[in-house]
Amino acid sequence: MNRAYRLTTTAALAAALVAGAAATATAATPAPAPTASAAKAPAPTPALTAQPSTGTVAAWQEFRVSGKATGIKTGTRVTLQQKQGAKWVSLPASVTINKNSAYSMRVKLGIKGKNALRITGGGATSPEFTVTVR
């Protein structure tokens, strides 16, 4: 009986040891790392707004164009563009976006008539707006 008892005890201990080793190996396996898309939120789409301070000015009269930027870093330069024929031409009027994600620039136009304008920079373009020069 002593021999049977030792054999049963040894078998039980061996089974427990194997089960414990398997549990330890399972617990030691690291969890899969989260994917980059799950860990990082998508960046907002860059966007610009633009609003002239007036709709009509005299030739070479100063006015302001101001607006807000979304999804564009502070310090990014934005530029005023004017539609000349079928092409958009950058004018020598540009400023940087401030810490409040806003900008404001002084502008003077000399081409009489309706001027189609927009702001561009940081991978975004504002909707077109018009200023009439008399």
Side-chain angles (χ1 to χ4, degrees), residues 3-91:
R3 185 179 220 193
Y5 178 72
R6 276 188 276 163
L7 186 60
T8 306
T9 306
T10 305
L13 285 173
L17 185 61
V18 170
T24 303
T26 304
T29 304
T35 60
S37 62
K40 191 176 185 182
T45 304
L48 288 168
T49 64
Q51 183 67 41
S53 60
T54 183
T56 304
V57 294
W60 303 113
Q61 179 184 352
E62 186 177 284
F63 66 97
R64 286 196 165 282
V65 175
S66 56
K68 286 273 200 184
T70 306
I72 301 174
K73 291 189 331 185
T74 298
T76 301
R77 186 160 290 283
V78 293
T79 304
L80 179 69
Q81 291 186 333
Q82 180 182 45
K83 193 167 192 178
Q84 295 178 359
K87 292 180 69 177
W88 286 98
V89 177
S90 293
L91 299 179

